[in-house]
Amino acid sequence: MSAYEAVIGLEVHVHLATASKLFCSCPNSFGDEPNTNVCEVCSGMPGVLPVLNRKAVEYATRMALAIHAQINQRSQFARKNYFYPDMPKDYQISQFELPLCEHGWLDITVNGQKRRIGITRIHMEDDAGKNIHPQGENFSYVDLNRAGTPLIEIVSEPDLRSAEEAVAYLKKLHAMVVSLGISNGNMEEGCFRCDANVSIRPRGETKLGTRTELKNLNSFRNVQRAIEFEIARQSDLLDDGEKVIQETRLYDANRNLTAPMRSKEDAQDYRYFPDPDLLPVVITDEELAEWAATQPELPEARMARYMGELQLPEQDAEQLCSDPHLAELFEKTCALGAQPKKAANIMLGMLLREINQTGVSSADLKITPEAIAELVTIIGNGTISAKIAADIFPELMKGDVMPTALVKERGLVQVSDTGAIDAAVQKVIDAHPAEVEAYKGGKTKLVSFFVGQVMREMRGKANPAMVNEALARLLGQN
Ligand code: ADP
Ligand code: MG
Ligand code: ZN
């Protein structure tokens, strides 16, 4: 065990999926022609006034409710002043002294150990635009489509103690925002971004060590690797009697290291002050009650339901509930009558494999619940083997085919005809006298060799149970 304990606090920015931006009516959409979703307000023209998007307040509050936070029904927008070319106002509209909510928490489980992670605050703010640096050119573009889109920032207490815990916490937050329907959570598009603050201290020490802030962590894997790298780097420094410098560091995924970016700014550098153009944000008791009463089911509750009502093992339930899109597909499949454990097996086996191999987002799946339910049925009644199911599965991912039709069209229906199977088994026995001899001499492991040969002979379509039975019977006779 290392002599040091790692201390990690995360700042997570979640892009809210409202129809329009936070303070103007421009569309809040991704991937459009640059600078087409821009008006006087979000391009920072002088003399214009922002008007708050109520839906963004609702979404932010739903997240506050989900983490059991203390909600400030009167909060305040503040200007965070700094210059950057992608932010023509020269200040970000954020919240400082009176954020939307404080003192929340969520529980994570890592290596069977449950821990409660404190959430300091959630505040609302607007996003900046985007600077684009074309390869090999000596100029940059500015795209303001993203300028003024709504974000919430979720700031954790420095309660996390390892890269694994940080990732578990992030995954949980991610599943929550997607389940709540307040964000699409797309990490590549920057809709779910995270900065990690990392320090170390000798075990047993209670004072916090000097931290660095890591940026550019655009996947769960990069969060894990960057934090691991940073803990090792800081440990080496202290081992050598050197000091950690408080700074912001950029993670380089290609080289898997962090490098200094700038010295860490303090709050006073931003000269925060209440935005005089915006009234305090007031959430009425009625609004709060209504939003609380209409909260969608959260991953934890869903997981408990899967384990109770649907009798799924904990691990299956957890895996399905960690991704709300998967969970919804699963529920629709079960609603069609599919046996839950069998449907879960297909989704966590074949479906996840396809997702991992093709990189398709679970939000964009085309495979239908009808197709999965039918697959469960035809595997169950012996029409096809699990092997054939796996073979046709990539085809089903396209969405417009049903398994029964596909299996018929391809002639893949499982052969359960004793005559045909016996004939194939006999043929294999006749062709491999040496192996038969060895088998009879006690090398019973050879049975899988024979099964393989018979399957090859019958192009994978033989009913495996019947092949085993026929092999036992015919090898016994010879
Ligand atoms: P900022 O980064 O904007 O200055 P804060 O000081 O509030 O804001 O800290 C931001 C994050 O850094 C929080 O998630 C907090 O838990 C974490 N943090 C603060 N001090 C440490 C530390 N010594 N080690 C690790 N994380 C820390
Ligand atoms: Mg910070
Ligand atoms: Zn606008």
Side-chain angles (χ1 to χ4, degrees):
M1 194 192 276
S2 158
Y4 304 111
E5 173 181 64
V7 174
I8 301 151
L10 298 183
E11 294 164 277
V12 179
H13 286 92
V14 182
H15 192 259
L16 299 178
T18 54
S20 55
K21 294 188 181 181
L22 189 53
F23 297 113
C24 63
S25 57
C26 292
N28 172 22
S29 67
F30 180 85
D32 296 336
E33 267 303 293
N35 296 308
T36 51
N37 301 329
V38 181
C39 72
E40 296 82 349
V41 174
C42 56
S43 63
M45 296 291 150
V48 295
L49 287 172
V51 177
L52 177 60
N53 180 341
R54 205 68 203 159
K55 201 70 183 172
V57 178
E58 175 190 329
Y59 282 180
T61 307
R62 287 189 180 281
M63 190 59 193
L65 288 166
I67 56 152
H68 323 276
Q70 184 183 307
I71 293 168
N72 295 322
Q73 282 179 252
R74 191 182 173 89
S75 67
Q76 175 80 59
F77 279 108
R79 291 188 181 179
K80 179 178 184 180
N81 299 279
Y82 65 98
F83 169 81
Y84 211 60
D86 63 8
M87 197 183 62
K89 308 197 287 308
D90 282 349
Y91 59 84
Q92 180 185 25
I93 304 179
S94 183
Q95 298 192 297
F96 186 57
E97 267 164 8
L98 253 183
L100 175 79
C101 77
E102 295 164 277
H103 312 299
W105 51 264
L106 63 78
D107 291 333
I108 57 167
T109 305
V110 172
N111 299 328
Q113 212 194 335
K114 185 166 154 177
R115 294 200 55 230
R116 179 155 295 183
I117 308 304
I119 295 176
T120 317
R121 57 191 267 146
I122 298 180
H123 60 254
M124 295 180 277
E125 59 188 23
D126 66 354
D127 206 351
K130 216 174 176 158
N131 293 332
I132 298 155
H133 312 291
Q135 274 276 316
E137 300 289 355
N138 62 354
F139 61 87
S140 297
Y141 294 111
V142 178
D143 176 8
L144 293 179
N145 280 352
R146 201 179 67 182
T149 56
L151 297 176
I152 49 174
E153 178 170 346
I154 306 167
V155 183
S156 87
E157 289 290 307
D159 285 349
L160 299 154
R161 292 290 173 268
S162 65
E164 291 76 36
E165 286 192 0
V167 170
Y169 166 85
L170 267 185
K171 285 190 170 166
K172 191 122 187 202
L173 275 188
H174 186 264
M176 286 166 88
V177 299
V178 179
S179 297
L180 287 169
I182 65 173
S183 176
N184 70 17
N186 191 318
M187 287 179 99
E188 286 106 66
E189 291 176 6
C191 294
F192 189 88
R193 320 197 281 264
C194 152
D195 301 336
N197 295 270
V198 179
S199 65
I200 59 170
R201 61 187 174 192
R203 276 181 200 283
E205 172 64 66
T206 50
K207 274 209 321 261
L208 291 175
T210 306
R211 71 175 146 138
T212 57
E213 178 169 338
L214 312 183
K215 293 204 178 273
N216 198 28
L217 313 176
N218 52 11
S219 68
F220 293 123
R221 185 177 145 76
N222 286 351
V223 170
Q224 168 105 21
R225 300 207 306 165
I227 293 175
E228 279 169 358
F229 174 88
E230 189 60 17
I231 293 171
R233 188 187 71 87
Q234 293 185 12
S235 303
D236 287 348
L237 281 176
L238 296 199
D239 281 347
D240 295 346
E242 292 177 48
K243 284 206 171 100
V244 174
I245 301 168
Q246 174 156 334
E247 62 189 356
T248 301
R249 298 176 69 88
L250 205 60
Y251 177 64
D252 180 340
N254 291 327
R255 296 192 289 162
N256 186 33
L257 52 79
T258 66
M261 181 170 135
R262 56 168 188 247
S263 68
K264 174 100 190 69
E265 60 291 297
D266 276 324
Q268 67 221 31
D269 298 336
Y270 292 119
R271 202 171 54 91
Y272 280 98
F273 63 88
D275 192 315
D277 285 345
L278 284 156
L279 293 168
V281 185
V282 175
I283 299 170
T284 65
D285 293 342
E286 290 73 33
E287 280 176 314
L288 199 55
E290 190 205 320
W291 295 336
T294 53
Q295 281 282 79
E297 186 179 39
L298 286 163
E300 229 160 73
R302 184 174 242 166
M303 197 178 140
R305 185 161 58 81
Y306 286 8
M307 289 164 66
E309 265 172 43
L310 304 181
Q311 298 276 297
L312 285 193
E314 181 173 355
Q315 232 194 336
D316 291 16
E318 184 171 12
Q319 242 185 315
L320 285 170
C321 296
S322 70
D323 183 335
H325 299 295
L326 282 189
E328 253 136 58
L329 183 58
F330 169 70
E331 288 185 27
K332 286 184 189 154
T333 304
C334 295
L336 293 166
Q339 206 271 325
K341 176 60 184 152
K342 290 190 170 149
N345 287 349
I346 287 178
M347 294 195 53
L348 299 175
M350 299 176 207
L351 181 59
L352 277 192
R353 203 171 312 130
E354 281 296 313
I355 287 177
N356 291 338
Q357 275 172 10
T358 61
V360 62
S361 157
S362 62
D364 302 329
L365 290 177
K366 295 208 183 72
I367 189 167
T368 59
E370 286 78 11
I372 300 176
E374 195 175 280
L375 198 60
V376 171
T377 306
I378 64 176
I379 297 171
N381 68 17
T383 307
I384 60 170
S385 62
K387 161 86 175 66
I388 296 287
D391 287 348
I392 64 167
F393 202 80
E395 219 40 54
L396 300 179
M397 292 293 286
K398 294 180 185 158
D400 49 1
V401 267
M402 288 294 279
T404 305
L406 190 63
V407 158
K408 286 219 177 94
E409 181 195 309
R410 302 255 173 106
L412 295 172
V413 174
Q414 178 161 277
V415 177
S416 297
D417 161 5
T418 327
I421 291 173
D422 280 10
V425 168
Q426 195 56 57
K427 194 169 163 196
V428 167
I429 288 174
D430 293 345
H432 298 92
E435 285 82 359
V436 172
E437 203 61 36
Y439 174 84
K440 289 187 172 168
K443 269 189 100 176
T444 50
K445 276 194 190 145
L446 275 170
V447 76
S448 55
F449 163 79
F450 289 117
V451 170
Q453 292 299 313
V454 174
M455 280 299 180
R456 175 191 279 190
E457 185 69 27
M458 300 191 67
R459 304 210 327 272
K461 292 188 291 184
N463 178 322
M466 292 180 69
V467 171
N468 276 312
E469 184 277 326
L471 270 169
R473 178 162 39 82
L474 296 175
L475 278 169
Q477 278 173 13
N478 264 293

